[in-house]
Amino acid sequence: MPDVDAEFTALPLRQLADAALSRAGELGAEHADLRVERVRSQNVGLRDGRVESSRDGEEVGLAVRLVHEGTWGFAAGMEMTVDEAVRLTEQAVDVARVSAAVNSDRVEFADEPVYADATYVSSYDIDPFGVPEPEKLALLTDFCERLMAADGVDHVNASLYAVKENKFYADLAGTTTTQQRVRIWPEFVAVAVDRAQGGFETMRTVNAPIGRGWEYLTGTGWDFEAELAELPELLAARTKAPSIEAGRYDLVVHPSNLWLTIHESIGHATELDRALGYEAAYAGTSFATFDKLNSLQYGSPVMHVTGDRIAEHGLSTIGYDDEGVAGQQWDLVRDGVLVGYQTDRNMARLMDLGRSNGCAFADSSGHVPVQRMANVSLQPAANGPSTEELIGGVEKGLYVVGDKSWSIDMQRYNFQFTAQRFYLIENGRLVGQVRDAAYQATTTDFWGAMEAVGGPQTYELQGSFQCGKAQPGQVAAVSHGCPSALFRGINILNTVTEGGR
Amino acid sequence: MNPEFLRGQEIVERALAISRADGCIVIVNDRTEANLRWANNSLTTNGAMRSRHVAVVSIMNDAVGSVGRSVSTVDDLALLVSASESAAREASPAEDVMPLVDPADPAGEWEAPPAETSIDVFSSVAPALGEAFGQARSAERLLFGFAEHIMTTTFLGTSTGLRLRYDQPTGRVELNGKTGDRSRSVWAGVGTRDFADVDIAGLVAQVSGKLDWGSRQVDLPAGRYETLLPPTAVADLMVYLYLVAEMREADEGRTVFSKRGGGTRIGEKLSSHPVNLRSDPHEPGLETGPFLATEVSGQGTSVFDNGMATGRIDWIRDGELRNLVTPRWWAAKSGVAPTAYVENLVLEDPTGGKSTEEMIAGTDRGLLLTTLWYIREVDPQTLLLTGLTRDGVFLIEGGEVTGAVNNYRFNESPVDLLGRMTEVGHSERTLPREWNDFFTRASMPTLRIPDFNMSSVSPAS
């Protein structure tokens, strides 16, 4: 396991914590924590094999969050000095005082053991920030040139987004954690332009953004060589594909598409802060309200969904959350019934749920921790079918691969998704791609129509770097594992008809 | 404050003095912000934040190295300049190389300290909210929302001697009201520069009025309806259109603004109404930075254009597409004038003067929307977007609102809507609902669409 970067541990972390926490104690705070974060990022964009944009970033800062007379106070700054830590503590108390005018709910925390000096480093082999730039660019350029050289490819877009995140956390109860996570998100898109007819089509790789290092680009966890080799053919087939006839179809959905449907219709819907209304004015609420816990029939009996902060290579995986709660795994939906939520310490206490399951997270020192999504994953069936076997059971349907367009309402009922590829299934066999399809459904109808989930051999960990929530806006990375799955009788739209053409 | 902490202007001068690159651009963003967030008539989160981001863009042998960091001290700065130069040395030559922009008249007083905000900006807003929460509790209604104020001072300096500075205030308030059983939900929001013009009681009155409209509930099926899109909904659709209005992508045949047979749709009539869609950094009430500052190329911008003046640009004039976003290098290649994104957007019809209320009065039967939500691209060839209606769909009958209707998923293209709209109202300052976390400065009219495509019913409230 790699060590936490020495540059981060060389910051005066413990002096800052001592200064902030002792001042918070003097000012009468019931709870106080100090967080120091360093987020390194690299973004590279290539267009037709040439670097179009490239940027390295590093944001470092510190924040004090406290509870004073039952009200939150939060202040964030950037100077790594004892004076600044004390100033921020005093400012956070001021913020609590101004805010008391609008607060009527006293903040209290669910219990959690104290972790005196804990360290966590995520699972990766090669730190992407340690790989020489020319080596990284040579590989990305080579991948782009392979696509450019293929018949029918007019343009190629490629991007690489890598992040290394360090967090130090210390609270009044005595927990102190130091953590490091690495994640990477490469993507390649081939574009075909029909100038005469004025149309264009794209085809993107369906690899996942994932909690791994540079090794992900060179054969560990994904076979880019193989996928890039078949991408031009897949694009060409799409440009020639017939337009879909709207109507009801059975769907076999591959993990590269299903993850996003899970994210939107289960991941967000089982966030307790949404169910309680904390996001009502922005990200939205949830149809899965608290009174329905242990009774709501979310989907068919084959539906088993877990939340976790511990899956290896998971984007939401971490040792301890931003309230000092250790990573766990728990059930959200079991036998098709809603049985759990994602929580933080204040909500767990408020709703009498026992221990927090560790979902408090801030995307930087500049933002306050809020409840953010765990890795929310659909479990495969032990000894379950292969994807081919699922397809074999469909008379008239579509096989859906790779996410593309997505949208869902503010209570997580009505959604519409498109895909990189829709293949028509006739009598248990794939007969080629179709164009212009979108699937539209209501969450509980869709999951209720899930007849079968694939076996562990179909399971993939997919995910996103860019889940947005909260005001001020925060982004979080999250993974979703799932098998291929079979859904009966889903409504398919023709998007050209939808556009009135 | 730590005596080693450097002022933004010092950072610019010292970085340029240390730089050994052929060309160097330094951008300092000093930012303070304060916010309050509430739900169920009570506070949920809050904060007062200070941050600094310094970007150094080094140009060496036509290659670019861009590194951005939080910088406080001289040592941090030296490391940043050196990292930027290493990145440039390891990069291949850039495609968008142009001479750096020549010095211009300063946009602001260079030497003045950065503008700042603090939690005290809410000193009158917080008690007014507290009062509104009390009233809502007695009326068995719930208030949710967010108030935020941000001050960003940008210092931009280049090795060609350019020094520009701009203070950008950005503020917003969103108020969401629900009935006690949460079955009905409505919204009101405003953008502001300083909170002096924010009328909490006025926002509360808007929210209460719309909740009252909903006392009669009408279920209607999916279908095409005559629909009034209010300014905030129009803003979200037009911002989406603006973000894809790039010249290079259009030239390459890859957007809704590409022309069949090659080239772009510039010069084509998109609307039979004499509407203008424009950006202007000096638009009254919507003022924004009058020069380009970017630490990275791509998506219609180039680091070589840093400091380029961004005046008024008509994207659409008299209903005709006139300009697309074009960095200088692409403009030079394609023989057009360079343009850059400006952080405001105005849609207006100089002949359209009706208020939303007058347009309601002129409607026999139709729908009035409040906001749109979760807007995403379905088909980039036509800019077909999908999304939801949110926080109030109202039925208009005989020139009056007669009830509240269920929500819908829509599938529509803003480019098509410009072509199909039958009436354009008076343009007014509005807060885009969906995009206000990065785009708050807009002025839009209410639009009448004769056949808006409500694709399916959403049970959400």
Side-chain angles (χ1 to χ4, degrees):
Chain A
M1 187 174 83
D3 292 327
V4 176
D5 280 6
E7 288 164 26
F8 184 69
T9 52
L11 294 170
L13 303 169
R14 281 163 178 80
Q15 292 94 307
L16 297 172
D18 289 346
L21 298 178
S22 58
R23 185 68 185 129
E26 287 163 18
L27 293 170
E30 298 103 88
H31 163 89
D33 60 70
L34 171 104
R35 244 181 328 119
V36 179
E37 295 212 24
R38 181 185 74 156
V39 182
R40 287 202 64 181
S41 60
Q42 182 179 29
N43 294 79
V44 184
L46 292 92
R47 195 160 165 145
D48 297 343
R50 294 191 68 169
V51 173
E52 182 188 34
S53 62
S54 173
R55 179 186 173 276
D56 258 45
E58 182 182 295
E59 304 299 327
V60 185
L62 70 167
V64 175
R65 184 174 72 148
L66 47 76
V67 180
H68 185 262
E69 294 179 3
T71 297
W72 286 121
F74 176 77
M78 52 173 294
E79 291 176 70
M80 295 295 153
T81 62
V82 164
D83 287 352
E84 177 74 345
V86 169
R87 186 189 71 79
L88 290 173
T89 308
E90 291 166 354
Q91 193 181 9
V93 171
D94 284 344
V95 170
R97 287 195 179 117
V98 171
S99 308
V102 290
N103 187 33
S104 59
D105 296 335
R106 199 174 174 84
V107 178
E108 291 178 303
F109 275 15
D111 290 339
E112 178 70 14
V114 166
Y115 308 96
D117 193 3
T119 300
Y120 170 83
V121 179
S122 70
S123 178
Y124 64 92
D125 297 334
I126 302 169
D127 180 350
F129 296 90
V131 178
E133 281 308 299
E135 189 181 323
K136 283 191 263 192
L137 289 176
L139 184 75
L140 295 173
T141 309
D142 173 42
F143 282 179
C144 291
E145 284 171 354
R146 291 187 206 186
L147 288 173
M148 290 295 293
D151 283 346
V153 176
D154 295 300
H155 296 286
V156 174
N157 284 61
S159 59
L160 175 72
Y161 187 1
V163 177
K164 179 155 65 174
E165 185 186 279
N166 287 104
K167 275 180 193 275
F168 170 82
Y169 169 94
D171 66 26
L172 269 183
T175 288
T176 305
T177 63
T178 310
Q179 308 189 75
Q180 176 162 302
R181 303 198 296 174
V182 164
R183 56 185 179 265
I184 197 159
W185 177 20
E187 199 172 79
F188 301 88
V189 185
V191 184
V193 177
D194 180 348
R195 284 199 177 256
Q197 292 306 310
F200 57 96
E201 292 287 353
T202 64
M203 189 60 69
R204 199 195 71 216
T205 52
V206 298
N207 61 279
I210 197 149
R212 291 184 186 268
W214 181 247
E215 69 277 5
Y216 188 56
L217 268 297
T218 58
T220 302
W222 198 260
D223 188 347
F224 280 98
E225 305 254 346
E227 192 180 16
L228 292 168
E230 65 173 14
L231 210 60
E233 214 170 293
L234 294 168
L235 175 65
R238 183 183 172 93
T239 60
K240 293 180 205 129
S243 196
I244 184 84
E245 189 182 326
R248 296 259 162 202
Y249 291 78
D250 294 344
L251 302 187
V252 174
V253 188
H254 185 264
S256 58
N257 182 271
L258 191 57
W259 75 268
L260 184 51
T261 310
I262 293 169
H263 176 87
E264 299 293 3
S265 70
I266 308 171
H268 280 303
T270 57
E271 294 178 311
L272 186 53
D273 64 340
R274 293 183 63 120
L276 295 178
Y278 297 172
E279 286 286 334
Y282 179 62
T285 60
S286 174
F287 72 93
T289 47
F290 195 75
D291 56 309
K292 299 192 177 99
L293 184 63
N294 297 318
S295 64
L296 173 71
Q297 194 70 44
Y298 214 108
S300 70
V302 300
M303 183 182 188
H304 178 202
V305 180
T306 56
D308 82 77
R309 292 249 170 203
I310 59 172
E312 191 179 19
H313 309 303
L315 292 169
S316 193
T317 299
I318 194 159
Y320 306 86
D321 79 352
D322 289 346
E323 294 179 336
V325 178
Q328 302 155 49
Q329 177 170 336
W330 66 100
D331 282 342
L332 292 167
V333 177
R334 196 171 47 230
D335 302 326
V337 177
L338 173 74
V339 294
Y341 286 102
Q342 305 160 61
T343 64
D344 64 18
R345 292 178 71 177
N346 180 218
M347 287 191 292
R349 172 73 173 222
L350 187 69
M351 305 314 288
D352 204 15
L353 291 170
R355 187 185 174 201
S356 160
N357 49 40
C359 290
F361 178 80
D363 65 359
S364 69
S365 56
H367 285 145
V368 70
V370 291
Q371 186 259 297
R372 294 311 307 262
M373 202 183 291
N375 303 307
V376 171
S377 296
L378 176 67
Q379 295 304 310
N383 308 313
S386 66
T387 304
E388 292 69 28
E389 287 169 318
L390 289 170
I391 292 168
V394 172
E395 204 174 308
K396 177 201 169 197
L398 294 171
Y399 173 44
V400 188
V401 181
D403 67 89
K404 200 168 186 184
S405 169
W406 74 103
S407 174
I408 188 165
D409 73 37
M410 45 285 173
Q411 256 180 299
R412 306 279 142 173
Y413 283 112
N414 175 309
F415 59 67
Q416 179 178 307
F417 294 95
T418 66
Q420 293 298 317
R421 302 190 281 284
F422 284 96
Y423 295 91
L424 193 63
I425 306 171
E426 281 176 2
N427 301 317
R429 290 180 43 247
L430 300 184
V431 296
Q433 290 187 52
V434 288
R435 281 201 294 194
D436 310 326
Y439 63 95
Q440 201 182 69
T442 296
T443 294
T444 44
D445 294 345
F446 182 79
W447 292 107
M450 183 166 69
E451 183 178 283
V453 290
Q457 73 277 26
T458 71
Y459 190 87
E460 270 184 25
L461 195 63
Q462 288 274 342
S464 169
F465 265 35
Q466 291 180 309
C467 173
K469 191 176 171 183
Q471 287 180 310
Q474 298 194 40
V475 290
V478 57
S479 288
H480 301 284
C482 56
S484 292
L486 168 62
F487 301 82
R488 295 292 187 188
I490 303 300
N491 185 32
I492 298 291
L493 308 178
N494 180 301
T495 57
V496 174
T497 313
E498 281 293 310
R501 283 177 166 79
Chain B
M1 190 166 280
N2 175 2
E4 284 182 39
F5 194 83
L6 295 171
R7 295 188 307 128
Q9 299 92 327
E10 287 171 333
I11 289 205
V12 170
E13 299 304 343
R14 283 176 187 248
L16 290 170
I18 303 170
S19 169
R20 293 288 168 268
D22 307 335
C24 185
I25 299 153
V26 185
I27 305 168
V28 178
N29 277 304
D30 277 334
R31 175 172 159 130
T32 50
E33 53 191 304
N35 61 71
L36 294 175
R37 195 176 195 210
W38 57 94
N40 303 312
N41 301 329
S42 182
L43 178 81
T44 51
T45 63
N46 54 18
M49 294 94 100
R50 172 187 299 276
S51 63
R52 164 179 287 170
H53 183 79
V54 181
V56 174
V57 182
S58 298
I59 298 152
M60 301 174 87
N61 297 320
D62 288 347
V64 173
S66 174
V67 182
R69 290 183 182 169
S70 331
V71 165
S72 329
T73 66
V74 177
D75 290 348
D76 294 344
L77 186 61
L79 288 169
L80 171 59
V81 174
S82 145
S84 163
E85 290 176 0
S86 298
R89 267 192 292 271
E90 289 175 342
S92 47
E95 212 171 3
D96 54 339
V97 177
M98 290 291 283
L100 294 185
V101 172
D102 289 329
D105 293 338
E109 196 188 334
W110 177 258
E111 281 302 329
E116 292 192 353
T117 189
S118 78
I119 197 78
D120 297 327
V121 75
F122 304 126
S123 55
S124 61
V125 168
L129 280 170
E131 200 174 314
F133 294 166
Q135 290 162 0
R137 252 176 243 119
S138 2
E140 292 187 4
R141 286 178 171 176
L142 299 167
L143 293 176
F144 306 78
F146 181 60
E148 176 182 62
H149 196 235
I150 302 172
M151 281 300 253
T152 305
T153 296
T154 301
F155 298 100
L156 167 67
T158 69
S159 51
T160 49
L162 184 134
R163 299 287 183 278
L164 291 171
R165 172 251 177 79
Y166 191 74
D167 297 326
Q168 179 73 68
T170 302
R172 52 178 170 151
V173 184
E174 293 190 80
L175 190 66
N176 168 219
K178 294 183 195 298
T179 50
D181 63 359
R182 298 193 189 182
S183 66
R184 300 202 308 272
S185 184
V186 299
W187 180 90
V190 289
T192 178
R193 288 171 64 82
D194 55 13
F195 276 82
D197 55 349
V198 170
D199 171 15
I200 293 293
L203 288 172
V204 170
Q206 277 186 52
V207 161
S208 302
K210 287 195 167 177
L211 281 175
D212 292 343
W213 274 351
S215 50
R216 176 178 168 236
Q217 195 69 29
V218 184
D219 288 335
L220 289 178
R224 288 185 176 269
Y225 289 90
E226 178 169 326
T227 300
L228 296 184
L229 292 178
T232 174
V234 174
D236 278 322
L237 294 171
M238 290 304 139
V239 168
Y240 218 119
L241 180 152
Y242 185 33
L243 294 179
V244 303
E246 265 185 64
M247 181 67 100
R248 184 185 181 182
E249 291 267 310
D251 273 337
E252 289 180 348
R254 300 168 64 176
T255 78
V256 66
F257 298 117
S258 306
K259 191 161 74 181
R260 182 182 289 198
T264 74
R265 293 173 69 183
I266 286 179
E268 189 178 315
K269 276 271 184 203
L270 300 180
S271 176
S272 57
H273 296 266
V275 285
N276 304 323
L277 182 71
R278 67 163 186 270
S279 297
D280 182 350
H282 305 292
E283 187 75 32
L286 304 176
E287 293 89 349
T288 186
F291 58 88
L292 180 79
T294 181
E295 62 186 277
V296 67
S297 293
Q299 297 181 327
T301 61
S302 167
V303 289
F304 292 90
D305 294 355
N306 267 297
M308 182 177 109
T310 54
R312 173 182 162 140
I313 310 156
D314 292 323
W315 308 108
I316 295 171
R317 181 155 194 88
D318 292 333
E320 178 187 306
L321 182 66
R322 288 288 178 91
N323 285 292
L324 294 167
V325 179
T326 318
R328 288 185 306 152
W329 76 283
W330 193 262
K333 262 176 91 148
S334 48
V336 300
T339 55
Y341 281 113
V342 174
E343 288 180 22
N344 65 26
L345 196 62
V346 175
L347 179 71
E348 65 168 11
D349 177 346
T351 66
K354 282 192 185 163
S355 67
T356 307
E357 291 69 29
E358 288 168 320
M359 289 173 72
I360 293 169
T363 304
D364 186 37
R365 182 180 165 86
L367 301 178
L368 169 69
L369 307 189
T370 303
T371 67
L372 302 178
W373 186 248
Y374 222 123
I375 306 167
R376 294 292 183 277
E377 187 178 82
V378 177
D379 184 355
Q381 311 192 53
T382 54
L383 196 60
L384 181 71
L385 304 177
T386 192
L388 285 304
T389 62
R390 185 172 184 181
D391 287 329
V393 177
F394 300 103
L395 179 64
I396 307 169
E397 292 173 302
E400 282 179 16
V401 172
T402 57
V405 180
N406 43 270
N407 278 304
Y408 292 101
R409 168 171 300 288
F410 68 87
N411 280 305
E412 277 290 0
S413 161
V415 181
D416 283 356
L417 293 178
L418 290 173
R420 285 172 22 230
M421 61 196 184
T422 51
E423 188 179 6
V424 182
H426 173 70
S427 187
E428 61 183 62
R429 169 102 202 236
T430 188
L431 183 71
R433 170 72 185 279
E434 170 120 327
W435 305 128
N436 70 47
D437 47 1
F438 75 93
F439 205 100
T440 60
R441 287 174 280 275
S443 177
M444 297 281 148
T446 293
L447 301 183
R448 184 187 304 277
I449 310 298
D451 53 355
F452 196 83
N453 179 20
M454 300 297 188
S455 174
S456 58
V457 168
S458 157
S461 55

